[in-house]
Amino acid sequence: QLSVYTTTRSSIGAESNIDLVLNVEDFDIESKFERTVNVSVPKKTRNNGTLYAYIFLHHAGILPWHDSKQVHVVSPLTTYMVPKPEEINLLTGESATQQIEAEKQTNALDEPVSHWRSRLTLNVMVEDFVFDGSSLPADVHRYMKMVQLGKTVHYLPILFIDQLSNRVKDLMVINRSTTELPLTVSYDKISLGKLRFWIHMQDAVYSLQQFGFSEKDADEVKGIFVDTNLYFLALTFFVAAFHLLFDFLAFKNDISFWKKKRSMIGMSTKAVLWRCFSTVVIFLFLLDEQTSLLVLIPAGIGAVIELWKVKKALKMTIKWQGLRPKIQFGTYNDSEKKTEEYDTQAMKYLSYLLYPLCVGGACYSLLNVKYKSWYSWLINSFVNGVYAFGFLFMLPQLFVNYKMKSVAHLPWKAFTYKAFNTFIDDIFAFIITMPTSHRLACFRDDVVFLVYLYQRWLYPVDKSRVNEYGECYEEKPKKKS
């Protein structure tokens, strides 16, 4: 039978100071089940202590500690984490006195407190296997318990706790007034191959934390394995490799294009400024939401590149006069001024729609949504404007293309790699944990890119032909003398 006990001690030798929370008689290792039980929370655990679960497989009718052939595993039902800051209504949420009390409470909440793990996932390995004694894999060996029966050594059932199923989203803060908490115990059989794979994955997640990764970062990695089908997971790793490759190629070609750029003819300066503003705001938002590093790091690199592109677009030069920097802006020629006129005209039409929507959305969220702080509201308002209406700021470039009847001035190599990544991001949007608005923005970019492709087809250009401005976008290489 299967028995689950709880105790505040890390080791037990008798029946004292332990509570039986679940007993499954006639336990069948082939039959999966899930049961929710109420667990009594001792005073020591409520005062920021730890509670352990002891899971025994033993003969029916015998107490586990009297059974020489029992197997057991131990798992803490509590973990220590800094609690998430409470969100309040910034206008009506609290008075000045309450605010002072909240600040005191916030300082106290910087310390880790005990959280309750509401799930306990158990597995028993069901496959028969034969290994030579001298070549038994170490990962399996540490979970095995041997017994001598006559002249033969046998192994008892291999009991395993799936720690990857313990997610941060399932944790609950243990209050001092709480006397009982729910615990969902689920059981399923497991094959030898999956057991060994799961053991290595748990070791990998533990190693991440030893190298300094936070609990949240490790939880993101857990989610990839737990919340995803294994075949889909293999596809994800394959796609992720291409995503990194295309990210690198897109960054490389984008930098190469702008490094050679000497003229802003046909390029929307306001679109460049908007992309810079939006990528910086998105990076700050993802940082405030403590999202996955898988999303945060590329966003940070993209923000740095966009800042550099603004410097190129505005023809900025920085000269130092002692310790004081002096910023100078370059002048535009007649052709660039014509592009700037189209750009300004497009922004004029957009402003009639964009600004009222952004301001209205910010006021609505202030009245109806709770936030951690005014900074959090400000960043959320900016980022919601970026996500909801950001594609509108990509339209000035489309308008400039339409007026000039040309797309030769665009960095098409970088666009191509970004397009591949846009469709890959659509896949990642369902896999990696990220804010919902960021997930929707991944699909928004698809529409804009399709319009760019249409313009590419509509305005075929011979790049080697000299245009009316006396410029050629693809110059023939000069022969060496």
Side-chain angles (χ1 to χ4, degrees):
Q1 65 186 32
L2 176 75
S3 300
V4 180
Y5 294 85
T6 59
T7 178
T8 56
R9 296 185 296 175
S10 57
S11 61
I12 58 173
E15 202 174 348
S16 58
N17 296 326
I18 64 171
D19 292 321
L20 176 66
V21 295
L22 178 65
N23 185 32
V24 183
E25 297 180 351
D26 299 325
F27 174 65
D28 180 14
I29 63 172
E30 296 285 345
S31 303
K32 63 183 297 185
F33 68 82
E34 182 172 296
R35 297 182 189 178
T36 301
V37 294
N38 289 324
V39 178
S40 177
V41 184
K43 186 176 180 181
K44 184 178 178 181
T45 304
R46 297 199 298 270
N47 291 329
N48 228 16
T50 305
L51 190 66
Y52 297 93
Y54 278 76
I55 302 96
F56 289 92
L57 275 182
H58 57 100
H59 286 102
I62 306 176
L63 290 173
W65 36 88
H66 295 156
D67 186 0
S68 61
K69 295 186 180 65
Q70 56 85 12
V71 290
H72 73 276
V73 287
V74 186
S75 176
L77 293 177
T78 56
T79 187
Y80 291 96
M81 279 187 66
V82 176
K84 196 175 180 181
E86 186 179 358
E87 295 178 340
I88 55 170
N89 189 303
L90 297 173
L91 293 179
T92 61
E94 57 186 11
S95 63
T97 309
Q98 289 173 321
Q99 190 170 0
I100 294 171
E101 292 176 357
E103 287 175 1
K104 291 180 181 178
Q105 187 179 4
T106 303
N107 293 332
L109 290 179
D110 288 339
E111 298 295 325
V113 298
S114 194
H115 284 63
W116 179 254
R117 286 176 170 167
S118 58
R119 294 194 66 85
L120 184 63
T121 306
L122 310 174
N123 302 112
V124 173
M125 203 282 295
V126 295
E127 286 185 10
D128 290 329
F129 66 86
V130 178
F131 281 108
D132 185 82
S134 59
S135 61
L136 185 65
D139 49 12
V140 179
H141 184 267
R142 60 179 155 143
Y143 285 93
M144 294 176 68
K145 182 179 178 182
M146 313 292 189
V147 292
Q148 184 83 31
L149 295 177
K151 295 181 180 180
T152 312
V153 176
H154 295 263
Y155 67 90
L156 295 175
I158 298 177
L159 183 60
F160 176 73
I161 295 182
D162 182 4
Q163 299 289 1
L164 294 178
S165 298
N166 292 327
R167 302 294 306 282
V168 170
K169 64 183 180 181
D170 297 325
L171 296 178
M172 297 185 290
V173 178
I174 300 177
N175 299 317
R176 294 193 177 184
S177 59
T178 305
T179 57
E180 279 192 348
L181 285 169
L183 176 66
T184 302
V185 181
S186 58
Y187 167 79
D188 198 3
K189 62 184 180 180
I190 191 170
S191 64
L192 176 63
K194 186 175 180 180
L195 172 67
R196 297 186 64 187
F197 178 74
W198 236 233
I199 290 172
H200 286 293
M201 288 303 103
Q202 288 190 173
D203 291 345
V205 170
Y206 177 75
S207 299
L208 287 177
Q209 292 175 291
Q210 296 301 105
F211 279 113
F213 280 74
S214 68
E215 178 87 16
K216 186 171 180 63
D217 292 328
D219 185 68
E220 298 294 345
V221 178
K222 285 183 185 179
I224 291 175
F225 292 107
V226 174
D227 299 340
T228 313
N229 180 281
L230 282 178
Y231 296 106
F232 192 54
L233 182 62
L235 175 64
T236 303
F237 279 121
F238 180 72
V239 170
F242 279 98
H243 192 281
L244 289 174
L245 175 64
F246 291 139
D247 256 340
F248 171 76
L249 291 173
F251 286 145
K252 173 182 171 294
N253 282 280
D254 209 19
I255 292 170
S256 176
F257 174 83
W258 281 92
K259 193 175 180 181
K260 297 175 183 176
K261 195 75 175 166
R262 296 289 179 267
S263 170
M264 285 299 291
I265 298 173
M267 299 295 293
S268 170
T269 305
K270 290 180 174 58
V272 175
L273 288 169
W274 167 252
R275 277 198 300 271
C276 176
F277 171 75
S278 61
T279 49
V280 170
V281 166
I282 287 170
F283 174 71
L284 293 174
F285 169 68
L286 296 175
L287 197 63
D288 185 56
E289 290 287 317
Q290 298 179 339
T291 193
S292 168
L293 289 174
L294 297 170
V295 177
L296 190 63
I297 292 174
I301 296 171
V304 173
I305 293 174
E306 292 298 333
L307 286 167
W308 172 74
K309 284 160 66 174
V310 165
K311 177 179 174 293
K312 293 283 291 183
L314 298 179
K315 300 183 179 181
M316 291 170 57
T317 54
I318 301 174
K319 293 183 178 179
W320 291 88
Q321 296 179 345
L323 296 175
R324 188 164 57 88
K326 184 180 179 182
I327 300 175
Q328 292 181 340
F329 295 92
T331 57
Y332 293 120
N333 58 33
D334 293 338
S335 303
E336 290 174 319
K337 287 178 181 177
K338 192 69 175 174
T339 302
E340 194 67 21
E341 286 178 17
Y342 295 147
D343 201 11
T344 305
Q345 188 180 353
M347 283 303 302
K348 178 184 175 183
Y349 298 141
L350 280 178
S351 62
Y352 298 149
L353 174 67
L354 185 70
Y355 298 145
L357 288 174
C358 288
V359 173
C363 295
Y364 175 83
S365 63
L366 182 62
L367 293 170
N368 297 283
V369 183
K370 295 181 179 180
Y371 294 100
K372 294 178 285 186
S373 63
W374 284 98
Y375 170 78
S376 183
W377 167 76
L378 187 65
I379 288 294
N380 273 270
S381 299
F382 276 136
V383 88
N384 285 334
V386 167
Y387 283 140
F389 317 117
F391 71 97
L392 296 176
F393 271 98
M394 299 179 187
L395 300 184
Q397 182 63 64
L398 298 176
F399 185 75
V400 170
N401 296 345
Y402 164 71
K403 282 290 188 180
M404 300 189 72
K405 299 294 187 290
S406 173
V407 292
H409 42 265
L410 298 179
W412 281 101
K413 279 188 180 179
F415 270 5
T416 303
Y417 293 127
K418 285 180 180 178
F420 284 123
N421 268 358
T422 297
F423 297 122
I424 291 173
D425 284 340
D426 297 344
I427 299 173
F428 271 101
F430 293 104
I431 299 172
I432 296 177
T433 303
M434 61 179 71
T436 305
S437 51
H438 192 77
R439 182 173 281 128
L440 292 174
C442 293
F443 301 103
R444 179 204 69 194
D445 294 339
D446 297 348
V447 179
V448 177
F449 180 72
L450 290 174
V451 179
Y452 275 116
L453 282 182
Y454 173 70
Q455 286 191 330
R456 172 79 171 180
W457 170 82
L458 192 62
Y459 309 130
V461 176
D462 179 9
K463 293 186 181 181
S464 62
R465 177 178 62 84
V466 177
N467 63 13
E468 63 270 27
Y469 305 116
E471 292 181 333
C472 175
Y473 291 103
E474 282 191 358
E475 295 181 0
K476 295 179 180 178
K478 294 179 182 178
K479 293 181 180 179
K480 292 184 179 178
S481 58

